Amino acid sequence: STSVHSDARIKKIDTERIQSELDQHRIVIVTGFQGVDRNGDVTTLGRGGSDTSAVALAAAFRADLCQIYTDVDGVYTTDPRIVPSARKLDEITYDEMLELASQGAQVLHNRSVELAKKFRVNLEVVSSLERKPGTKVKEVAKQMEKTQISGVATDKNVARLALVGVEDRPGIAYKVFSLLGQKNINVDIIVQSIGRQGTQDISFTVRRSDVEQAVALLQEHKASLPFDHIDVDQNVVKVSIVGAGMVDNAGVAAKMFGALYDADINIHMISTSEIKVSVLLDESVAALAVQAIHDKF
């Protein structure tokens, strides 16, 4: 693996030793989560490292199936602790699982799903506590055509920053986001307002852990980025619906917004892609929003 401390990446897997043990019909137990860099030093893979190790091994050995044993018995339409009526999915596509994992679902880490998709590893999430079928993660899921969405995910590790009164001229957005990018500050939803009297507002979301650094960085460059002030809101949450069936179903986003309207919930920001719709809401209404959306679909 690479030598980045606590967030290393797997470069290659040496299968020789494991293969020779398997050839002697032995059961092989491999430690996940870690590897060695080119200097022979042990590095760790960071969050989700065990899942990622398992998928990488399955890919290296072209295994028929990679089972991930965990404290839940599969992937649900949403968190059953928030919505008791959540259903377990028999199957889900890589893309849907990747979006759900990236949008806050804790079942699998997105790095392991990325790897599974890249190397076409069939995954199954199963319970380590009881013996019953789990959820299969694969290229195409049987349910895909019938259902518009597969799940609702919540991400609380999010904050909204607004640059208020930014000079309305070309290159400002580029400057703001390239500055943040240089410091590895990941930006998610972006909304830019229409310019009025030579100024505009740019709002965007970052991880809560990046707020202080992002604000300090932007204040530091205020001379070359003329703006009035920065508005920070950390009491927000991102709620997303994910589904491969969305592409062919018009009105899915409207149905979601309708559910939030019926529950009297205000939307701050919206972001869409082919298979997901995310909204930014007040953190205090997160559970209510998930319940309302889940009921609607």
Side-chain angles (χ1 to χ4, degrees):
S1 56
T2 56
S3 54
V4 186
H5 173 65
S6 84
D7 198 20
R9 298 271 182 215
I10 298 170
K11 285 194 148 178
K12 69 179 176 71
I13 285 181
D14 184 359
T15 56
E16 199 178 321
R17 170 78 199 278
I18 300 173
Q19 191 62 59
S20 72
E21 297 290 344
L22 287 172
D23 291 343
Q24 293 172 60
H25 303 290
R26 288 182 174 150
I27 292 171
V28 179
I29 295 172
V30 183
T31 51
F33 191 70
Q34 63 187 36
V36 288
D37 64 13
R38 61 176 169 214
N39 303 319
D41 295 326
V42 172
T43 58
T44 52
L45 303 176
R47 268 201 64 216
S50 301
D51 294 356
T52 309
S53 304
V55 173
L57 280 164
F61 285 98
R62 294 184 173 80
D64 296 335
L65 180 66
C66 173
Q67 290 178 313
I68 305 280
Y69 286 84
T70 181
D71 57 352
V72 291
D73 61 352
V75 181
Y76 279 73
T77 47
T78 195
D79 188 338
R81 291 168 302 187
I82 300 174
V83 181
S85 61
R87 286 185 308 107
K88 187 175 81 178
L89 299 162
D90 294 330
E91 296 184 345
I92 190 169
T93 67
Y94 294 127
D95 288 337
E96 289 172 317
M97 191 64 240
L98 192 53
E99 282 291 4
L100 283 172
S102 304
Q103 303 308 325
Q106 300 289 321
V107 188
L108 283 174
H109 198 271
N110 54 350
R111 271 170 68 184
S112 64
V113 185
E114 260 171 29
L115 212 53
K117 177 179 157 72
K118 187 176 175 183
F119 292 101
R120 297 284 184 272
V121 174
N122 282 321
L123 274 179
E124 187 180 17
V125 179
V126 281
S127 166
S128 48
L129 306 168
E130 42 188 339
R131 290 181 76 90
K132 55 178 176 180
T135 300
K136 290 219 163 68
V137 186
K138 49 206 279 198
E139 184 63 26
V140 179
K142 279 191 283 229
Q143 293 299 318
M144 215 170 93
E145 290 296 318
K146 298 176 199 163
T147 51
Q148 295 169 349
I149 76 162
S150 288
V152 187
T154 313
D155 185 2
K156 291 187 173 169
N157 183 17
V158 62
R160 180 177 62 102
L161 299 189
L163 276 180
V164 182
V166 186
E167 218 174 86
D168 188 15
R169 59 181 165 83
I172 290 289
Y174 163 70
K175 219 167 202 173
V176 169
F177 297 117
S178 63
L179 264 179
L180 296 168
Q182 283 161 21
K183 295 289 179 193
N184 289 324
I185 296 171
N186 204 15
V187 174
D188 187 19
I189 307 175
I190 302 170
V191 173
Q192 191 169 339
S193 72
I194 296 167
R196 284 190 186 86
Q197 279 115 32
T199 69
Q200 60 173 341
D201 303 337
I202 300 175
S203 303
F204 54 92
T205 61
V206 296
R207 288 186 293 257
R208 284 187 194 174
S209 51
D210 288 336
V211 169
E212 276 180 42
Q213 193 187 2
V215 170
L217 191 65
L218 293 165
Q219 293 285 15
E220 194 186 315
H221 290 83
K222 199 170 176 182
S224 62
L225 276 178
F227 60 87
D228 187 62
H229 66 278
I230 301 175
D231 190 49
V232 180
D233 187 356
Q234 299 202 49
N235 300 312
V236 289
V237 67
K238 183 172 65 164
V239 175
S240 308
I241 56 170
V242 172
M246 276 190 208
V247 186
D248 309 311
N249 283 291
V252 173
K255 198 169 169 181
M256 179 191 196
F257 304 150
L260 295 171
Y261 168 69
D262 292 341
D264 201 26
I265 292 169
N266 194 28
I267 300 171
H268 300 307
M269 295 169 98
I270 300 166
S271 163
T272 64
S273 78
E274 277 196 332
I275 71 162
K276 82 154 206 300
V277 181
S278 295
V279 290
L280 199 70
L281 314 166
D282 288 335
E283 193 173 0
S284 56
V285 296
L288 180 66
V290 171
Q291 181 77 62
I293 294 164
H294 194 271
D295 287 351
K296 192 82 161 181
F297 285 96

